[in-house]
Structures are given as structure tokens and as C-alpha cells.
């Protein structure tokens, strides 16, 4: 395998020129026409790169805000008893932390990545609907504002948890309405973004790139966007019913009026479980790009990877009951959801084995993106294992609502989704900025995050097993030590992210020097065939069939013909 | 615009229209889950209590419930059980009313805390709606009628005897507001 890539490498200088042609020749003049200067460039942005950049910065600022709330939680939990907050405010902190991280940080960050990278990777000039793309982004800041303002209305922010379970969510004050409207806006944004992504991927691929030859990141983006189109409207429906129960006298979830609060849980988790994969699948895609690059081998089992992603997506609609084992299901329902949930571990396992096989006997190097990808692989697998433990209904009835669940989903979301986002940033930062980041600082960020993450969340497994409930501001004395450890870890983890911000700004300002067009010698997808930094307009002419084929051969997706071998 | 670009744009629009239809269908689906859920529960025989509540009268043991009410010391208000004694049936529904009266000239925030006697009744009586679920804010001198709705489990034993459901009303902010309000009304009474 390595020999194929090696053989191909000499060819690259040729297409460097080719790519640079695309970037500069003829299109720079274009740029000055289309990119207005100053604030207009951002407010009226229709360029997929500008919009992607805005998504990424928005997501990062939300990440810092949500992280601040998390540190508020961990500060309170450093010792038993009440230190800083009232219980009501503590509930608002947990709620806003969850909502902001899920809808404000992780999801927009992936949408930003897709905006930036999908057109580059599939050889399209831009997203299919550039103006709608602008709307998708600009709905997000108002939604974030609603969430922040909610803290200052009488009664404070929504305090019912990110899951918004009634009856509490029906009884809370006006802050809850702000939360509901924020969810509406963010849902609308996701739907429009997803329509754009699906259309772009289905209709605008370069010649020669059939669906089964797309980069893995494009595949996971496609499936993620389909999932969002299917479940974002369901979430919108659920919170709309909450709203009418609150203000218009309906009784969807009000037991006294013949409704049922459990119904909300069904509707919410019908959205909620696919939602967790909406945050996980793009991470799978990122890792599937990074691992082959730094192993200098094609992705192992490409087709099985595609099928695994599709299988996970389909199964994710049939397992929502595993969040509700404790509501009093009949045994048959418990068994159904239990077996379906365990079944998801199969395609997930296929993916993990394929990633490991990709690295097997590769010429691996350990630059920062690779470190984050391997960190993802190790820790996400731990999260999958604790998920498997929770999928056992009799066990889950013990563990439901404890810190064990908190540990589980932070292993899959922080070490899964977030680590992949860090990896993706370091991987593509040279392409975005034209500069190389400092490898030393990147590695420091990785190891610091990796250690601090585990200090924070590993003890939570034990806290949960020992019975500490989640979402409480105070706890019994025997949980003290592990909570202290977790809180120390959380603050360490928080500081590591300031280092990340520093790294990114440092790179934008020049980093350790200009990056070559193809900074990673194992990188074979189309985004590396454009200049560095990527010019404002790329692939206004689709890449040539020959260029596409060259990449596909390097990715092991096409056989090279005799003629090409001679070349 | 070249014809190729035009063609592509038409294709894009078609795809987007289909996706939009899917979005609307799923929005419809989320609301359709409500009737579907009710039918599903009925067919599967899950949650008979809930269906029983909807189609009220069920034969069963006569169960007597006494309602009692108190006000915590220093809270300037009155609470009165308008239905001090009621009869219900196993598997049936019962509603009782209370009257709250703010005696002060200032707004008053209170919360009612319930308790059962005998304690074993807790297993068989469920509050589906109760004024004790929410904090209650009364305007100066306001009089308000509030309700509690109870469901009796169908396995309610005949041997339980009368149940007493007692409410005690407490001030919201740890009694601070109430003491000043009381002080004011006392001062007023004195003048
Ligand atoms: C092998 C795969 C997985 C299995 C078997 C699994 C299983 C479970 C189960 C049974 C629960 C419910 C625990 C409870 O509330 O009692 C749960 C909760 C959760 N899982 Fe997973 N999970 C898996 C993967 C994932 C992934 C990939 C993500 C996201 C990236 C994820 C995110 C979550 C979240 C956010 C919750 C908690 C939701 C809440 O109550 O707030 N899980 N998981
Ligand atoms: Cu789930």
C-alpha cells in the first residue's frame, strides 16, 4: 500500500501547479468583485468558506460559554453542601450547559466544517444554495442571545435539563419560553443547513466521483444531514407542544387533562437518540480522513464503513427507549429496546476495527491531528463500552439518572465529537490559513486535554456506580473525594482550551511559517489539490477526471490502468 | 449563466423541494405520535389508570378522603377546604377545592406542602394535578380558589379506612417577606 502512495507522490508537484492554477489564475480578479470588505463580507456572506469560518468561530465562542457554565457546575460540586449558587440557578447552569454545548457548539462546529470542506473535497464551487446558507448561519446568534437573555428574566433561565421533561418544563417561568424559541431557531438553522449539504453532495460532485467513491467525511455528512432532516422537525414539534401546554391550554403532557408526561419523553428521544449520532457521525468522518493520511494507507474497508454508517443511522431510530428504561415499560418493550441497542454496537465495532486495521502496518507518524484521532479512538471506545453496559435494561434501572450516564456521554461527546473537531482543526488549519501551526504547542494541547479529560470524567463512572445522582447541587459526604478530583480535572481541561485558542490565533498570524499546498504527504483527497491558503473561490471549473482518478487510486478506490502506471 | 449551470440549478431545486417535503412530513409525524401513542397504549393494555381517568366512573370500594389545611406560623393568609370530606372509588377520580385568602396588603408568595395519613395511602392515591405543584403568587387581599385532582389506583384496598390529605402553606422566601408583611398588618391593626 505504501508503495502505491510513494509511487504517486512524484506526480504531486505536477498537480500542485494545476491546483494553484485553479486557485489563482483568473479567479483572483473574481474575488475582488464578489467579496465586499469589512462587516458586509460577513453579514452578506454567501461564500462557503466565509460562512464556514463564521460557523467555526461561533461554535468556539459557544464552547467557551458552555464551558464556563460547566466550570460553574464543577465549582459548586467541588465540596458537599451549598457554596456558590442557589439550587434553581444550579439547574439553569446544567440546562444551559447542555443546550449550548449540543446545539451551540458541537453541531454548528460540524456544520462549519462541512461548509468549509465538502465543496473542496467533492470538487464543487460552493454550496448549492448560497443565500440560504447565509440564513442558516445568521439564525444562530439570535438563538444564542435568547438563551443568554433567558438568565435575566424573572424566574431565570430554563432549568428543566437539556431534555426539557414536563411537568417541570410546563411549570417553569418565562425563561423556558426563551429556551423553546431558541430551540426553534436552531432547529430551523439545522434543517436549512442540512438541505444544503444533501443537495450539494448529491448533485455537485466532480466527474468520476460516484457516491461510493466520495471521501468518508462527505459520506458521514450526507447521512448526518439526512438524520437531521428527519428528526429536527420532531424536536420542533415536541417543544411546540410544550409551548401550547404552557400557554394555550392544551393537554399533550398534562395528566390532569388526559395527557401524559411520558409521551414527551417518547417524542423527545425519538429525536434525541438520532441526535447523539448527529454529533457522532461527522466525528467518524473526520477520523476516517485523518487516520489514513497519517498511516499512509487507504482507509481499510471503505465500503463496509459506508454500510456501517447507514446501519447506525437506521438503527438509531429504533432504540430511543433505552433512555426510558426506568419509566415502567412492559418487559417486552424493555427487551426490544435492549436488543436493538446492543445491535448498534455491531456496526460501531466494525468501524473501530476498520480504523485499527487502517493503522495496522502503516507508516504512522504522530502529528497533532493524528494524536487527536487516536485519542478519539481509545476514548470513544470506552464510551461505547459504558453505553453497552447501560443498554442492559436491568443494569440501567440501577444506573439511570446517575453520574455513570454523565461519564458515558462525555466519553462519546467530548472525547468523541470534540476531540475529532480539534483533530480536524489542526488537520485543515494549514489549508484554511496558509500557515503551519506549532507542532509543539499542538502536542501540548493534546496531552493536556487528554489527561485533564480523564481526570474529570473517569471518576464519574465510580460516582455513578456508587449511586450519586446527576443534576444535583449537593451530595452525600462519601462522594467528596471523587468530586474534588473531577472538579480539578475540569478546570485543567478548561485552561487547555485557552491554549487551543492561542494556537489557532498564532497560526492565523503566521504560525511557524507558510504551509506547503500539501502539508501531509499521505493526504490524497481533493482539498489538497487547491492552493494554500485556499483562495476565496475554488473549483469554479470542476477538477479534471484525471485529477479525481489520481486521488481515488491513492485512496484505493480505483485500480490504476496500465497507461497510468506507465506515466 | 451557462446551460449546464442552469440545469444544475434546476436539479438542486428539485432535490431541495423533496427534502422540504420530508421535513414537513416529519413535523406532521411528531404530532401524529400523540394519537398513535394513545391508541398504542390502549391496544397494549398499558397504563390502564390513564384511560380509566379519561372515562371516569368505575365501580369499586367507596373511599373516604378528608381534607385538612393549615398555615405555617407567620404567614398572613387563610386556607379553607371547600370540600372537607369527599368519597371516591378505586380506579376513579376525585377533585377537591380550596380557598386561599391573602390577608396582607402586600403581594404574597406561598407554596403548599401535602402530607397523607395514614402514610400507606401514598401508594394508592396519586395527585395528577395539584395547586401544591406550583409556587402561588397572591395579589394583596386576593382570594383564589385552587384545586387538587386525585386518582385512586385500582388495587386500592378496602381496609385502608378514611384517608386524610393535609396541606400546610409556607411562605416562599424563607418567611422573610411574610414577617415584614405580618408586621405591617399588625401595625395597621394597631392604628
Ligand atoms: C455503542 C453505542 C452506544 C450505546 C449502546 C449507548 C447506550 C446508551 C444508553 C442505554 C443510554 C441511557 C442511559 C440512561 O439515561 O440511563 C445512553 C445515554 C446517552 N448516550 Fe449513549 N450509547 C451509545 C453511544 C452513544 C454515542 C455515540 C453518543 C453521542 C455521541 C451517545 C450519547 C449519549 C447521551 C448524550 C446520553 C444521555 C442523554 C441524557 O440522558 O441526557 N451515546 N446511551
Ligand atoms: Cu440513545
Amino acid at each position: 500500500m505504501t508503495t502505491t502512495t510513494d509511487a504517486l507522490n512524484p506526480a504531486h508537484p505536477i498537480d500542485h501547479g494545476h491546483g494553484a492554477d485553479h486557485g489563482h489564475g483568473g479567479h483572483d480578479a473574481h474575488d475582488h468583485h464578489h467579496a465586499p470588505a469589512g462587516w458586509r463580507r460577513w453579514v452578506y456572506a454567501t461564500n462557503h468558506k466565509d460562512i464556514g469560518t463564521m460557523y467555526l468561530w461561533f461554535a468556539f465562542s459557544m464552547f467557551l460559554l458552555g464551558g464556563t457554565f460547566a466550570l460553574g457546575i464543577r465549582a459548586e460540586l467541588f465540596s458537599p453542601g451549598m457554596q456558590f449558587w442557589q439550587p434553581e440557578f444550579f439547574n439553569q447552569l446544567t440546562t444551559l450547559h447542555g443546550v449550548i454545548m449540543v446545539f451551540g457548539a458541537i453541531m454548528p462546529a460540524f456544520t462549519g466544517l462541512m461548509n468549509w470542506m465538502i465543496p473542496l473535497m467533492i470538487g464543487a464551487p460552493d454550496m448549492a444554495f448560497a443565500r440560504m446558507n447565509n440564513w442558516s448561519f445568521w439564525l444562530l446568534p439570535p438563538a444564542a442571545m435568547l438563551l443568554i437573555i433567558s438568565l435575566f428574566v424573572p424566574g431565570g433561565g430554563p432549568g428543566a435539563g437539556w431534555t426539557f421533561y414536563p411537568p417541570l418544563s410546563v411549570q417553569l417561568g418565562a425563561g423556558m419560553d426563551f429556551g423553546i424559541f431558541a430551540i426553534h431557531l436552531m432547529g430551523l438553522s439545522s434543517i436549512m443547513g442540512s438541505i444544503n449539504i444533501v443537495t450539494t453532495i448529491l448533485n455537485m460532485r466532480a466527474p468520476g466521483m460516484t457516491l461510493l467513491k466520495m471521501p468518508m467525511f462527505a459520506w458521514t455528512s450526507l447521512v448526518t444531514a439526512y438524520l437531521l432532516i428527519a428528526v429536527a422537525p420532531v424536536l420542533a414539534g415536541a417543544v411546540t407542544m410544550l409551548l401550547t401546554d404552557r400557554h394555550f391550554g392544551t393537554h399533550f403532557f398534562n395528566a390532569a387533562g388526559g395527557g401524559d408526561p411520558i409521551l414527551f419523553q417518547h417524542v423527545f428521544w425519538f429525536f434525541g437518540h438520532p441526535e447523539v449520532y448527529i454529533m457522532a457521525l461527522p466525528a467518524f468522518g473526520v477520523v476516517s480522513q485523518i487516520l489514513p493520511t497519517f498511516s499512509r494507507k487507504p482507509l481499510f474497508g471503505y465500503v463496509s464503513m459506508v454500510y456501517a454508517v447507514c446501519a447506525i443511522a437506521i438503527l438509531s431510530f429504533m432504540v430511543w427507549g433505552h433512555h426510558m428504561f426506568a419509566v415502567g415499560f412492559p418487559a417486552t418493550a424493555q427487551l426490544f429496546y435492549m436488543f436493538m441497542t446492543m445491535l448498534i454496537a455491531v456496526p460501531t465495532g466494525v468501524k473501530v476495527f476498520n480504523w485499527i486495521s487502517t493503522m495496522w502496518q502503516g507508516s504512522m507518524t504522530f502529528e497533532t491531528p493524528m494524536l487527536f484521532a487516536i485519542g478519539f479512538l481509545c476514548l470513544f471506545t470506552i464510551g461505547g463500552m459504558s453505553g453497552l453496559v447501560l443498554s442492559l435494561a436491568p443494569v440501567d434501572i440501577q444506573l439511570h439518572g446517575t453520574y455513570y450516564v454523565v461519564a458515558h456521554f462525555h466519553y462519546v461527546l467530548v472525547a468523541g465529537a470534540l476531540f475529532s473537531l480539534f483533530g480536524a482543526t489542526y488537520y485543515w488549519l494549514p489549508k484554511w490559513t496558509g500557515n503551519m501551526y506549532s507542532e509543539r504547542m499542538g502536542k501540548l494541547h493534546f496531552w493536556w486535554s487528554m489527561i485533564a479529560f480523564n481526570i474529570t470524567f473517569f471518576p464519574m463512572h465510580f460516582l455513578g456506580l456508587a449511586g450519586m445522582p446527576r443534576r444535583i447541587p449537593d451530595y452525600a459526604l462519601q462522594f467528596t473525594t471523587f468530586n474534588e478530583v473531577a472538579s480539578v480535572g475540569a478546570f485543567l481541561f478548561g485552561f487547555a482550551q485557552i491554549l487551543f485558542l492561542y494556537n489557532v490565533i498564532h497560526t492565523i498570524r503566521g504560525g511557524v511559517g507558510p504551509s506547503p499546498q500539501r502539508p501531509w504527504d499521505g493526504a490524497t483527497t481533493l482539498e489538497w489539490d487547491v492552493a494554500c491558503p485556499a483562495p476565496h473561490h475554488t473549483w469554479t471549473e470542476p477538477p479534471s477526471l484525471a485529477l479525481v482518478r489520481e486521488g481515488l487510486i491513492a485512496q484505493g478506490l480505483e485500480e490504476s490502468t496500465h497507461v497510468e502506471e506507465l506515466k | 449563466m451557462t446551460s449546464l449551470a442552469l440545469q444544475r440549478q434546476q436539479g438542486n431545486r428539485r432535490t431541495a423541494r423533496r427534502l422540504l417535503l420530508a421535513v414537513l412530513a416529519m413535523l406532521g409525524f411528531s404530532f401524529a405520535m400523540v394519537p398513535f401513542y394513545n391508541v398504542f397504549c390502549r391496544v397494549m393494555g398499558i397504563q390502564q389508570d390513564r384511560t380509566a381517568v379519561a372515562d371516569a366512573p368505575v365501580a369499586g370500594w367507596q373511599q373516604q378522603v378528608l381534607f385538612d389545611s393549615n398555615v405555617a406560623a407567620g404567614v398572613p393568609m387563610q386556607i379553607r377546604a371547600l370540600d372537607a370530606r369527599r368519597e371516591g372509588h378505586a380506579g376513579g377520580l376525585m377533585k377537591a377545592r380550596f380557598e386561599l385568602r391573602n390577608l396582607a396588603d402586600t403581594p404574597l408568595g406561598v407554596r403548599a406542602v401535602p402530607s397523607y395519613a395514614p402514610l400507606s395511602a401514598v401508594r394508592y392515591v396519586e395527585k395528577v394535578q395539584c395547586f401544591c405543584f406550583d409556587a402561588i403568587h397572591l395579589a394583596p387581599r386576593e382570594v383564589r380558589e385552587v384545586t387538587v385532582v386525585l386518582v385512586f389506583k385500582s388495587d386500592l384496598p378496602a381496609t385502608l379506612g378514611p384517608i386524610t390529605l393535609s396541606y400546610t402553606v409556607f411562605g416562599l422566601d424563607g418567611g422573610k417577606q411574610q414577617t415584614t408583611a405580618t408586621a405591617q398588618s399588625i401595625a395597621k391593626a394597631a392604628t
Side-chain angles (χ1 to χ4, degrees):
Chain A
M1 285 294 125
T2 22
T3 49
T4 341
T5 354
D6 283 347
L8 280 165
N9 273 339
H12 282 152
I14 305 168
D15 64 61
H16 280 205
H18 191 88
D21 258 7
H22 270 288
H24 296 299
H27 297 301
D28 252 7
H30 230 79
D31 279 8
H32 298 299
H33 273 293
H34 280 289
W39 59 272
R40 284 163 183 281
R41 169 171 175 194
W42 305 106
V43 173
Y44 298 122
T46 52
N47 178 285
H48 72 101
K49 302 187 186 78
D50 285 352
I51 291 176
T53 305
M54 288 197 293
Y55 262 112
L56 289 169
W57 278 113
F58 173 81
F60 187 72
S61 50
M62 286 294 109
F63 171 60
L64 291 188
L65 181 65
T68 312
F69 290 158
L71 295 185
I73 296 171
R74 284 317 320 172
E76 178 63 54
L77 293 178
F78 182 74
S79 41
M82 303 304 294
Q83 334 312 312
F84 301 103
W85 322 120
Q86 293 296 313
E88 292 80 10
F89 184 67
F90 183 89
N91 287 347
Q92 295 163 24
L93 282 181
T94 40
T95 306
L96 287 179
H97 165 68
V99 172
I100 287 178
M101 285 304 194
V102 168
F103 297 102
I106 304 280
M107 289 171 66
F110 278 128
T111 316
L113 268 192
M114 291 172 196
N115 260 292
W116 242 105
M117 300 320 297
I118 296 283
L120 284 179
M121 291 173 116
I122 66 173
D126 205 312
M127 298 295 280
F129 305 104
R131 236 169 266 282
M132 185 165 81
N133 210 7
N134 175 292
W135 272 101
S136 313
F137 173 75
W138 281 109
L139 284 178
L140 289 177
M145 283 314 295
L146 282 179
L147 287 177
I148 294 167
I149 293 170
S150 78
L151 279 173
F152 301 100
V153 302
W162 83 282
T163 49
F164 293 135
Y165 280 6
L168 189 53
S169 56
V170 176
Q171 293 161 4
L172 284 172
M176 192 66 212
D177 299 316
F178 281 72
I180 290 174
F181 287 129
I183 297 274
H184 277 136
L185 288 182
M186 294 185 289
L188 198 59
S189 159
S190 299
I191 290 171
M192 297 200 299
S194 304
I195 289 179
N196 230 329
I197 287 163
V198 172
T199 311
T200 309
I201 294 178
L202 288 187
N203 297 356
M204 296 168 68
R205 295 186 311 276
M209 187 182 284
T210 59
L211 277 177
L212 271 176
K213 287 173 183 168
M214 294 196 296
M216 232 14 237
F217 182 65
W219 254 112
T220 57
S221 303
L222 180 67
V223 176
T224 303
Y226 269 126
L227 280 180
L228 261 173
I229 286 172
V231 300
V234 176
L235 175 66
V239 296
T240 307
M241 288 186 241
L242 271 187
L243 193 73
T244 60
D245 267 14
R246 287 168 58 80
H247 296 295
F248 304 110
T250 56
H251 297 292
F252 289 112
F253 310 128
N254 183 349
D260 189 348
I262 302 295
L263 169 63
F264 178 85
Q265 300 189 17
H266 283 287
V267 186
F268 181 87
W269 287 114
F270 184 86
F271 149 82
H273 188 81
E275 167 66 20
V276 304
Y277 279 99
I278 285 164
M279 295 185 279
L281 294 184
F284 294 175
V286 166
V287 169
S288 304
Q289 299 301 131
I290 294 177
L291 286 177
T293 296
F294 295 96
S295 307
R296 292 164 184 79
K297 267 179 67 189
L299 183 66
F300 184 89
Y302 175 91
V303 179
S304 67
M305 286 300 232
V306 173
Y307 283 123
V309 169
C310 298
I312 288 174
I314 292 166
L315 281 176
S316 76
F317 286 102
M318 300 179 221
V319 298
W320 79 87
H322 66 216
H323 296 274
M324 303 169 58
F325 282 140
V327 303
F329 277 159
T332 32
Q334 295 199 12
L335 287 174
F336 172 80
Y337 288 120
M338 171 169 142
F339 288 130
M340 290 315 263
T341 304
M342 292 165 88
L343 208 56
I344 283 208
V346 175
T348 314
V350 167
K351 299 196 76 80
V352 171
F353 281 115
N354 281 349
W355 287 323
I356 295 173
S357 312
T358 302
M359 295 189 288
W360 181 252
Q361 293 192 330
S363 324
M364 297 212 293
T365 51
F366 299 94
E367 286 86 346
T368 309
M370 184 64 160
L371 288 177
F372 273 108
I374 295 175
F376 164 96
L377 194 51
C378 299
L379 298 185
F380 184 86
T381 308
I382 296 181
M385 293 310 252
S386 57
L388 217 49
V389 171
L390 290 170
S391 72
L392 304 165
V395 177
D396 184 70
I397 288 168
Q398 295 294 312
L399 293 177
H400 177 72
T402 70
Y403 259 83
Y404 194 87
V405 178
V406 178
H408 159 66
F409 67 74
H410 283 90
Y411 266 81
V412 283
L413 286 176
V414 177
L418 189 63
F419 273 26
S420 87
L421 281 163
F422 289 148
T425 308
Y426 286 108
Y427 185 56
W428 282 308
L429 206 50
K431 185 58 57 187
W432 298 340
T433 65
N435 301 317
M436 203 59 197
Y437 63 86
S438 157
E439 198 56 66
R440 220 164 50 93
M441 301 282 291
K443 289 209 165 90
L444 182 63
H445 175 218
F446 169 75
W447 284 110
W448 190 347
S449 297
M450 182 78 178
I451 292 168
F453 170 83
N454 283 293
I455 294 176
T456 312
F457 293 104
F458 205 72
M460 292 186 187
H461 290 110
F462 302 116
L463 285 172
L465 288 170
M468 178 173 162
R470 61 191 282 208
R471 294 172 174 164
I472 50 160
D474 186 8
Y475 51 82
L477 295 178
Q478 67 267 31
F479 302 131
T480 310
T481 315
F482 278 17
N483 271 295
E484 283 171 354
V485 173
S487 289
V488 169
F491 279 88
L492 287 176
F493 190 81
F495 287 126
Q497 307 327 316
I498 296 174
L499 183 63
F500 174 61
L501 178 64
Y502 173 81
N503 282 355
V504 172
I505 293 176
H506 175 250
T507 312
I508 293 173
R509 297 243 174 106
V512 294
S515 155
Q517 175 174 325
R518 192 181 301 265
W520 321 118
D521 54 358
T524 50
T525 35
L526 279 175
E527 75 269 28
W528 305 106
D529 289 314
V530 304
C532 220
H536 203 57
H537 292 282
T538 39
W539 302 132
T540 41
E541 294 295 323
S544 67
L545 195 58
L547 185 64
V548 174
R549 270 184 58 78
E550 194 183 318
L552 293 179
I553 291 164
Q555 292 161 41
L557 295 178
E558 274 187 21
E559 302 287 318
S560 59
T561 60
H562 187 58
V563 181
E564 278 160 339
E565 268 160 21
L566 286 181
K567 229 171 43 171
Chain B
M1 204 179 275
T2 64
S3 70
L4 185 82
L6 202 68
Q7 221 175 336
R8 178 178 265 180
Q9 200 184 43
Q10 279 169 350
N12 286 350
R13 291 242 165 94
R14 195 166 32 218
T15 310
R17 265 199 303 277
R18 284 186 193 148
L19 294 174
L20 195 65
L21 270 179
V23 169
L24 294 178
M26 289 311 290
L27 190 65
F29 173 77
S30 72
F31 285 91
M33 277 171 90
V34 179
F36 180 71
Y37 177 71
N38 291 336
V39 172
F40 191 78
C41 285
R42 193 159 318 138
V43 172
M44 300 285 287
I46 305 167
Q47 282 220 329
Q48 275 146 344
D49 282 356
R50 204 167 67 87
T51 16
V53 173
D55 346 317
V58 181
W61 301 108
Q62 285 259 328
Q63 174 64 49
Q64 206 172 65
V65 185
L66 308 172
F67 292 96
D68 173 45
S69 55
N70 311 285
V71 179
V75 183
M77 68 164 292
Q78 267 180 1
I79 176 169
R80 202 155 60 88
L82 296 177
D83 314 288
R85 167 195 303 233
R86 305 221 57 188
E87 320 248 283
H89 296 280
L93 196 66
M94 170 189 288
K95 180 173 159 180
R97 297 164 304 145
F98 291 82
E99 186 187 82
L100 306 177
R101 184 186 294 271
N102 181 1
L103 298 175
D105 290 321
T106 42
L108 183 62
V110 295
R111 185 184 287 281
V113 178
S115 70
Y116 286 103
L119 215 63
S120 54
V122 174
R123 269 201 56 207
Y124 304 106
V125 184
E126 212 170 290
K127 291 192 275 305
V128 286
Q129 189 184 40
C130 181
F131 63 105
C132 58
F133 291 166
D134 303 293
I136 300 171
H137 296 275
L138 295 170
R141 301 271 161 196
E142 182 184 347
V143 181
R144 189 187 298 179
E145 198 178 296
V146 292
T147 54
V148 55
V149 178
L150 304 174
V151 177
F152 301 101
K153 294 270 168 70
S154 36
D155 58 351
L156 179 79
T159 52
L160 204 59
I163 300 171
T164 306
L165 177 50
S166 166
Y167 287 97
T168 307
V169 184
F170 291 92
L172 270 189
D173 45 3
K176 260 178 281 160
Q177 171 199 344
Q178 281 70 40
T179 30
T180 49
T182 328
Q184 274 167 4
S185 39
I186 290 172
K188 203 157 189 185
T191 52

